[in-house]
Amino acid sequence: MKALKIVASGTYRYTGDTIQRRVAIVLSDHDYWYEYAKAANDLDIGQLPVVDDEGHAFYVSYSNISEGGTFLPDSRTHRTFADAKFDAESRAPSPINWLETP
């Protein structure tokens, strides 16, 4: 099992919706999509994992995830926290109220 950590979480709403939806930025110790393609023997020639200098990748998740568990990312792989946060904010239908940020 690969390790993951929630590094930021927040909530947003759809227009007219009274229910707050959860979003999280997840730090992983691997590139999920690279490993998925590798397992399916579907890597492009010369394809490398998208990770930072420490071997970490960042993802956006709209699912209820828990640290240390497994998850299916709801975004492409991001090399930085800032890129993942920008991705989440650009796709949300309303401003995200971030509860935790590094």
Side-chain angles (χ1 to χ4, degrees):
M1 178 186 304
K2 304 287 184 172
L4 61 95
K5 179 180 181 182
I6 298 168
V7 293
S9 64
T11 58
Y12 65 95
R13 293 178 192 223
Y14 282 106
T15 304
D17 196 353
T18 59
I19 300 172
Q20 289 191 355
R21 313 264 179 172
R22 183 170 182 249
V23 61
I25 306 296
V26 178
L27 172 71
S28 176
D29 66 355
H30 68 290
D31 179 342
Y32 177 90
W33 296 116
Y34 174 87
E35 295 296 333
Y36 182 84
K38 182 178 175 182
N41 199 27
D42 194 28
L43 288 174
D44 293 331
I45 294 172
Q47 182 177 348
L48 297 172
V50 177
V51 293
D52 66 13
D53 292 340
E54 288 81 38
H56 298 124
F58 297 85
Y59 299 92
V60 178
S61 177
Y62 298 99
S63 307
N64 287 323
I65 61 168
S66 60
E67 290 188 8
T70 59
F71 79 114
L72 177 63
D74 295 314
S75 73
R76 65 182 177 85
T77 307
H78 297 283
R79 193 177 310 266
T80 68
F81 169 80
D83 288 345
K85 185 176 179 186
F86 178 82
D87 183 21
E89 290 173 341
S90 67
R91 292 194 287 153
S94 65
I96 295 174
N97 178 26
W98 292 105
L99 307 172
E100 306 166 22
T101 56

